[in-house]
Amino acid sequence: MELSCKSEYALLALLELTAHYDEGEPLQIRQIAAQQNIPDRYLEQLLATLRRAGLVRSQRGAKGGYLLGREPWKITLLEVINCIEGLDSQPSEVMREPKSVEGMVVREIWQEAGRAADAVLQKYTLKDLAEKRDARRQLDIMYYI
Amino acid sequence: MELSCKSEYALLALLELTAHYDEGEPLQIRQIAAQQNIPDRYLEQLLATLRRAGLVRSQRGAKGGYLLGREPWKITLLEVINCIEGLDSQPSEVMREPKSVEGMVVREIWQEAGRAADAVLQKYTLKDLAEKRDARRQLDIMYYI
DNA sequence: AGTATACCCCGGTTCTCCACTGGGGTTTTG
DNA sequence: CAAAACCCCAGTGGAGAACCGGGGTATACT
């Protein structure tokens, strides 16, 4: 399980949108990028991908920005990484055909392992992640005292 | 879960060694490479790595070659991929520190997903893989008739 | 002994992909 | 109408994967 920079940035950005979900006002790319230490021009591309998948909504023009496309407890981590990592990694898997029986069997095991990992990512939502973060923050304060 | 070329080659080679495990005579790189369509000079490097980890034994000189280091049912797929993929991928994970609380939480979830995938790879041994291959071969024959 | 056949070690090369940057648009608010 | 934001497309630099090659060393067979 490799966590690509892309996926991490996307999750951090969505987590930031989750934190401000109740306010109902859009968050700007600049603010998200500054808060999470993400290159803003790069984040722009990721948000565009997330928008096409409906995970975020955008509001154009001055005072514009981004909002979550759905409630935070209805967006799973699996959706996010499938959206971000999905399109370009699938053709590379398809193009190299297993060509031998051994290859087929190996692939099947790999798919089983992948499904096991996906199951974990599917049971967590953005809300879960935000709650975990809050709990972690409380812990940090206690240790500080 | 990406299956790298390296890992697949290593598994196919070990599977070939498993098939000839009872004979007790070493298999040469050339034979393995030809049988599984692997570039032989590349396979050489992978076998060297597997040898340093004790997963295979080598016999030098004429009539030399490679043998499994242990019984096929005592080698798990997880060991193999950790051996092959392990050393160079870990420093890249360590070097980028999470730096934010959000980053930490995301990493933890990712590790949980990784452990779920590893659990699958750990429950399969080379013997299991060889049996799966044989069962698949039988199926192919039945469909052919 | 000598030679052919294997493994062994180290380095280089090519190619692809990721992370990132930049230039120009278009839409909306004030 | 101008500033602020999103939008689209294209390019670049570096790292790593896949692969190739040269030269060495150990061992079996004759």
Side-chain angles (χ1 to χ4, degrees):
Chain A
M1 280 305 292
E2 84 303 346
L3 172 59
S4 74
C5 219
K6 251 167 131 174
S7 298
E8 183 169 7
Y9 286 164
L11 285 175
L12 292 179
L14 289 173
L15 210 45
E16 195 67 23
L17 290 177
T18 301
H20 296 83
Y21 178 68
D22 298 330
E23 306 171 4
E25 293 181 1
L27 262 184
Q28 292 144 24
I29 289 184
R30 292 274 190 74
Q31 298 177 15
I32 303 174
Q35 195 73 21
Q36 297 289 341
N37 275 55
I38 304 173
D40 50 356
R41 300 296 260 128
Y42 192 41
L43 179 59
E44 192 180 324
Q45 297 175 4
L46 302 180
L47 286 172
T49 304
L50 293 174
R51 185 181 58 83
R52 279 186 280 271
L55 294 175
V56 299
R57 293 183 291 128
S58 68
Q59 186 170 324
R60 301 185 64 160
K63 290 274 183 179
Y66 286 92
L67 298 122
L68 282 185
R70 271 179 266 149
E71 295 98 328
W73 56 88
K74 288 189 177 172
I75 299 180
T76 69
L77 303 197
L78 182 61
E79 281 182 284
V80 177
I81 63 107
N82 274 347
C83 164
I84 288 295
E85 222 80 19
L87 297 176
D88 42 332
S89 61
Q90 280 167 1
S92 67
E93 299 261 2
V94 176
M95 69 170 296
R96 35 165 157 160
E97 69 282 359
K99 69 182 171 283
S100 71
V101 188
E102 286 88 348
M104 289 291 298
V105 177
V106 171
R107 300 291 173 92
E108 284 170 9
I109 306 257
W110 239 253
Q111 283 176 10
E112 185 180 339
R115 282 193 299 269
D118 286 352
V120 173
L121 296 181
Q122 184 145 32
K123 78 176 185 184
Y124 288 108
T125 67
L126 287 182
K127 186 166 191 288
D128 298 328
L129 214 55
E131 284 171 357
K132 265 186 181 292
R133 179 202 51 194
D134 294 340
R136 169 61 69 99
R137 285 223 177 102
Q138 292 301 324
L139 266 182
D140 285 353
I141 291 174
M142 288 182 62
Y143 277 122
Y144 179 76
I145 297 172
Chain B
M1 281 305 292
E2 86 300 348
L3 172 58
S4 76
C5 218
K6 253 166 130 173
S7 298
E8 183 169 8
Y9 286 164
L11 285 174
L12 292 179
L14 288 173
L15 210 45
E16 195 67 22
L17 290 178
T18 301
H20 296 84
Y21 177 69
D22 298 331
E23 305 172 5
E25 293 180 0
L27 262 184
Q28 292 144 23
I29 290 184
R30 293 273 190 73
Q31 298 176 14
I32 304 174
Q35 195 72 22
Q36 296 290 342
N37 274 57
I38 304 174
D40 49 356
R41 302 297 259 132
Y42 192 41
L43 178 59
E44 194 180 321
Q45 299 175 1
L46 303 180
L47 286 172
T49 304
L50 293 173
R51 185 182 59 81
R52 280 186 278 271
L55 294 175
V56 298
R57 293 183 292 128
S58 69
Q59 186 170 324
R60 300 185 64 158
K63 289 274 183 180
Y66 285 92
L67 298 123
L68 282 186
R70 269 179 268 149
E71 294 99 325
W73 56 88
K74 288 188 178 172
I75 298 179
T76 69
L77 303 196
L78 183 60
E79 280 182 284
V80 178
I81 63 107
N82 274 347
C83 164
I84 287 294
E85 221 80 18
L87 296 176
D88 43 330
S89 62
Q90 279 167 3
S92 68
E93 299 261 1
V94 175
M95 70 169 296
R96 33 166 154 161
E97 69 282 357
K99 66 180 175 286
S100 71
V101 188
E102 285 88 348
M104 289 291 298
V105 176
V106 170
R107 298 290 172 93
E108 284 170 8
I109 305 257
W110 239 252
Q111 284 174 9
E112 185 180 340
R115 282 192 300 269
D118 286 352
V120 172
L121 296 181
Q122 185 145 30
K123 77 174 187 186
Y124 287 108
T125 67
L126 287 182
K127 185 167 193 288
D128 298 328
L129 214 53
E131 285 171 357
K132 265 186 181 291
R133 179 203 50 194
D134 295 340
R136 169 61 69 102
R137 284 224 178 101
Q138 292 300 326
L139 267 182
D140 285 353
I141 291 172
M142 288 182 62
Y143 277 124
Y144 179 73
I145 297 171

